[in-house]
Amino acid sequence: MKIDLHSHTNVSDGIDSPVALVRSAKVAELSVLAITDHDTLEGWQSLPSEVGAGSLTIVPGAEISCRTTGGMSVHILGYLFDPADTSLSELMSLTRDDRIPRIKKIIELLNDAGVEITFSDVAKHSESAQTVGRPHLADALIERGVVATRDQAFAKYLHNDSPFYVGHFAPTPEVAIQAIKRAGGVSVLAHGLAGSRGAIYTVAEIEALLPHGLDGLEVDHRDHDQSARNALRKMADTFQLFATGSSDYHGAVGSQRLGMELTAPDVWEGILARGKGCEVFTV
Ligand code: AMP
Ligand code: ZN
Ligand code: FE
Ligand code: FE
């Protein structure tokens, strides 16, 4: 049983449409796939619900973009929350709205440094998206011939510690965790020790999220080295948190493949039992 609890569609910064993602998940022989677009539910909501005889279980979810009071970017995965919950919806909508002026500010900084790029270049690459993100800007830089791949764009211009980085409105991780909980959902810290992406929490800081209701830690993720995985798994064991594994798939680019990291069936059963805000469905 292959269970992958983190994926993106072109409703945020993934490449595949929701239907194409489902098709790829079936080719990859997944049994369970969580669709966790950044700050929007539109990807899984646009799939025909309850097709009945489907072989793939879809877990409704989202990846909430958060920022700590110290200014660090943190992603919290939410599963099985009530999609009609107003406070969670409001947080996501404020974030989505502020992402547009934020991308424009990054473009201004790039222009000041002599990189030719416009917002309409980015808009071309985010037509399907409710959530505009740096990967769309990366796609525009590729089209302009400035870089060759999304990874190169991040390494050179877009990473979290770059002089071109600008944040956007985002709840703190504590607020997001509490909002997911109030909406009946399950929260998991995404790629919490992925140092290649920028500043990360200390283990003690992650532990400080637990009283706010954090339910789990994404342990197996391509951006975690062995020591990061060991530290997170130990913390999950100590505090009885769900230890998940997932692809964080954005499309078949670089090393990304659906199901490249997996969640154990007993962990998935625990998440399913705890999530009270909505039901899974099959496609
Ligand atoms: P944004 O939501 O606009 O801040 O962009 C965040 C997204 O950019 C993440 O979900 C990843 O898909 C991607 N990303 C972040 N850091 C990196 C990195 N260092 N290399 C490649 N992709 C990254
Ligand atoms: Zn993303
Ligand atoms: Fe993320
Ligand atoms: Fe993600």
Side-chain angles (χ1 to χ4, degrees):
M1 190 173 180
K2 289 185 173 177
I3 301 155
D4 187 340
L5 293 183
H6 184 167
S7 69
H8 297 272
T9 75
N10 66 359
V11 170
S12 68
D13 56 11
I15 290 165
D16 297 354
S17 69
V19 167
L21 178 71
V22 163
R23 210 176 289 134
S24 304
K26 289 184 177 181
V27 170
E29 298 181 328
L30 297 186
S31 304
V32 178
L33 175 69
I35 300 183
T36 53
D37 276 310
H38 300 284
D39 313 306
T40 176
L41 315 183
E42 180 65 25
W44 60 262
Q45 282 184 330
S46 72
L47 289 171
S49 61
E50 200 46 70
V51 177
S55 59
L56 177 65
T57 296
I58 299 293
V59 186
E63 185 173 16
I64 310 293
S65 309
C66 302
R67 192 167 56 246
T68 65
T69 48
M72 190 174 78
S73 166
V74 172
H75 289 175
I76 301 289
L77 293 160
Y79 303 115
L80 298 168
F81 49 79
D82 174 4
D85 182 83
T86 46
S87 64
L88 197 50
S89 302
E90 178 73 2
L91 286 179
M92 289 190 279
S93 130
L94 287 169
T95 302
R96 287 198 304 273
D97 289 349
D98 196 45
R99 281 168 164 278
I100 294 164
R102 174 262 195 148
I103 287 285
K104 290 182 174 167
K105 283 182 204 149
I106 299 178
I107 289 171
E108 263 179 45
L109 294 174
L110 287 169
N111 291 160
D112 290 347
V115 179
E116 281 187 35
I117 190 89
T118 66
F119 184 73
S120 62
D121 294 334
V122 178
K124 259 199 294 181
H125 292 279
S126 58
E127 271 173 0
S128 59
Q130 301 243 327
T131 310
V132 181
R134 285 176 286 163
H136 299 119
L137 182 47
D139 292 343
L141 291 168
I142 294 168
E143 192 179 62
R144 285 266 186 171
V146 178
V147 290
T149 63
R150 279 186 172 188
D151 279 348
Q152 253 183 40
F154 272 89
K156 199 157 176 209
Y157 297 109
L158 303 180
H159 62 88
N160 293 3
D161 303 325
S162 127
F164 307 110
Y165 182 80
V166 177
H168 52 74
F169 165 84
T172 62
E174 291 83 354
V175 163
I177 289 165
Q178 290 159 12
I180 291 165
K181 180 131 296 209
R182 277 198 303 269
V186 177
S187 61
V188 170
L189 174 66
H191 46 71
L193 293 178
S196 61
R197 289 174 173 235
I200 46 170
Y201 274 135
T202 62
V203 166
E205 286 169 333
I206 296 176
E207 285 178 18
L209 295 176
L210 303 184
H212 297 276
L214 185 71
D215 296 294
L217 303 171
E218 191 176 51
V219 173
D220 291 314
H221 184 285
R222 64 178 178 281
D223 291 342
H224 283 159
D225 59 20
Q226 196 55 52
S227 80
R229 292 175 197 229
N230 292 345
L232 288 164
R233 201 177 301 282
K234 187 170 161 214
M235 208 184 315
D237 285 347
T238 305
F239 297 103
Q240 297 191 315
L241 301 168
F242 298 124
T244 68
S246 41
S247 64
D248 195 1
Y249 179 81
H250 285 75
V253 289
S255 65
Q256 295 184 39
R257 295 294 176 266
L258 275 168
M260 65 190 286
E261 306 277 3
L262 296 168
T263 295
D266 62 317
V267 172
W268 162 237
E269 292 299 330
I271 292 172
L272 182 61
R274 194 171 299 178
K276 305 282 186 217
C278 68
E279 303 283 332
V280 299
F281 59 94
T282 61
V283 289

